[in-house]
Amino acid sequence: MIFNRQLNRQPRWLKLGLIAVWAAILTLGLSDVPGFAQSANEVWQIGTEPTFPPFEMQDEASGELIGFDVELMNALGEAAGRDIEFVSLPFDGLIPALQSNTIDAAISGMTITAERAQTIDFSRPYFEAGLAIAVREGADDIASFEDLEGKRIAVQIGTTGAEQANAVAGASVSTFDNAPLALQELVNGRVDAVVNDLPATLYAVNEANLQGVEIVGELITEEYYGIAIPKNSEVLGEMNIALGQIIEDGTYADIYRKWFVSDPPILPQVAPALSAAVTSSFNWGRLFQNLIQGAGVTLMLTAFSFFFGLIGGSLVAFSLISPFKPLRLLCRIYVDFFRGTPMLVQLFMIYFGLPALF
Ligand code: ARG
């Protein structure tokens, strides 16, 4: 009742104005949410970080996306009856984009790891790879992973290579937005080694004519690439069926031979990283530690917002009784705006609507 009387005090044009503003933000915001805007069509929006030859790269002449992953995904789209639309994103932005359902899937030479599988799903493995060490030609002090101790290493941000490098004792690790930049740093002599996926480094050395770099030692890891998909998405099933289909009918092998000039290996149904994780990944101690840490952050944020909310709220309250009419009106709009809509809708708008505005 109180609420109603409050609202009725506002002139009609003000209410209509507020509704119009909300409608505009809603439209803007929702057009960014794939489920809302595209539920009717058959497009898969596929995220990729397109500087990872030979998996994904830009064709120099046409500017188009090409590569093994790109062709594979187009074949998958065909098998599943979907149009494919690629979306370029930073590598460390792919998983957040999947979590917010901004994209339907990501193909980006992404290794299936137990840690990633906690926040996103993976298709069955589609490529066998592993990490290798690259050094400047003739550098004889690094021949294995152990030799990296205390050295300067360049990696691509957010990758399994970065994770391995960070585990090396005493090493100073510099991160780059993409693998070619990390390799260039090696050529320029500013780092001693690059830890990167073998097929990508091989391609850079053999095909892209990266001069003065060689690969040393054995593979550091055995990894499998998977197509990354948001949790609880029906895309997972469709993708796996399509993948099975193109492996079966030879399309996969054709694409593989085109890019790697050899026959594809037989791929496991489940990546070893995931089958091993089932037994070892659940850790109560870690869970408890995370919860305590989270509670601390929540308390801090509460205290912080209480403090500033008190100051802000008092200012608005005083303005509401000020003799200066425009100020009163402005504060009225502000108050009604935030009080008149559910908190969830506000959060939604801030999360999806604001990025759409910029
Ligand atoms: N396989 C590595 C990983 O998953 C590196 C992938 C990098 N991919 C890319 N498109 N830049 O961490």
Side-chain angles (χ1 to χ4, degrees):
M1 279 300 51
I2 294 175
F3 180 71
N4 270 343
R5 238 183 299 139
Q6 292 260 0
L7 269 183
N8 286 339
R9 267 213 328 252
Q10 264 77 68
R12 210 178 137 76
W13 62 266
L14 184 61
K15 269 192 272 175
L16 285 178
L18 281 177
I19 292 171
V21 169
W22 266 127
I25 297 181
L26 258 167
T27 328
L28 260 176
L30 290 184
S31 62
D32 245 27
V33 186
F36 280 92
Q38 278 128 20
S39 55
N41 61 30
E42 302 273 289
V43 175
W44 270 344
Q45 305 258 8
I46 307 291
T48 191
E49 190 283 301
T51 49
F52 198 60
F55 296 94
E56 39 267 330
M57 57 186 151
Q58 229 133 19
D59 182 43
E60 268 168 37
S62 68
E64 256 174 68
L65 265 189
I66 56 169
F68 174 78
D69 282 354
V70 176
E71 276 180 37
L72 184 73
M73 185 47 76
N74 284 328
L76 289 170
E78 204 157 297
R82 300 281 185 161
D83 286 340
I84 301 297
E85 220 170 88
F86 285 100
V87 182
S88 293
L89 287 167
F91 189 72
D92 59 344
L94 290 172
I95 291 182
L98 290 163
Q99 285 181 291
S100 64
N101 275 302
T102 314
I103 48 179
D104 298 302
I107 190 162
S108 209
M110 192 186 286
T111 302
I112 302 172
T113 69
E115 199 187 344
R116 289 173 180 162
Q118 290 181 356
T119 45
I120 50 161
D121 277 339
F122 281 105
S123 71
R124 56 182 280 192
Y126 74 84
F127 193 88
E128 185 186 301
L131 293 174
I133 302 167
V135 298
R136 266 186 309 284
E137 236 159 28
D140 49 15
D141 53 341
I142 300 175
S144 69
F145 187 63
E146 287 69 43
D147 296 337
L148 288 177
E149 226 177 281
K151 295 288 197 300
R152 299 169 301 169
I153 311 171
V155 294
Q156 181 185 7
I157 191 165
T159 59
T160 47
E163 199 181 313
Q164 287 293 327
N166 282 324
V168 176
S172 80
V173 179
S174 8
T175 44
F176 294 85
D177 285 342
N178 60 53
L181 284 176
L183 287 165
Q184 195 53 49
E185 194 78 349
L186 177 66
V187 173
N188 294 346
R190 282 194 285 263
V191 292
D192 308 306
V194 166
V195 177
N196 187 35
D197 298 43
L198 176 69
T201 305
L202 261 183
Y203 187 88
V205 172
N206 295 338
E207 309 289 325
N209 279 324
L210 188 70
Q211 302 282 320
V213 169
E214 64 179 348
I215 293 165
V216 291
E218 318 224 303
L219 279 187
I220 306 175
T221 53
E222 182 191 64
E223 304 187 357
Y224 288 92
Y225 295 165
I227 296 157
I229 296 161
K231 284 258 182 226
N232 303 318
S233 159
E234 72 274 18
V235 176
L236 179 64
E238 282 183 59
M239 200 67 92
N240 277 334
I241 292 174
L243 198 48
Q245 203 171 311
I246 67 167
I247 289 177
E248 193 80 353
D249 71 11
T251 312
Y252 174 87
D254 287 346
I255 301 174
Y256 193 99
R257 278 191 215 104
K258 170 174 170 192
W259 288 95
F260 299 103
V261 208
S262 64
D263 286 333
I266 294 184
L267 295 164
Q269 282 286 335
V270 179
L274 296 191
S275 42
V278 178
T279 45
S280 67
S281 82
F282 207 78
N283 181 339
W284 285 99
R286 175 84 172 275
L287 180 77
F288 193 68
Q289 204 182 335
N290 285 349
L291 277 175
I292 297 284
Q293 236 171 38
V297 174
T298 308
L299 281 179
M300 209 181 67
L301 284 176
T302 311
F304 192 78
S305 39
F306 182 76
F307 180 74
F308 286 100
L310 204 66
I311 297 180
S314 311
L315 282 178
V316 173
F318 282 124
S319 312
L320 278 173
I321 51 170
S322 97
F324 187 50
K325 192 158 179 219
L327 182 65
R328 245 175 20 229
L329 193 71
L330 226 98
C331 290
R332 198 65 269 158
I333 293 178
Y334 174 81
V335 170
D336 283 350
F337 192 68
F338 282 102
R339 202 174 47 193
T341 45
M343 173 85 96
L344 211 64
V345 175
Q346 286 169 21
L347 286 176
F348 196 74
M349 287 303 103
I350 291 169
Y351 192 75
F352 291 112
L354 283 189
L357 288 176
F358 301 110

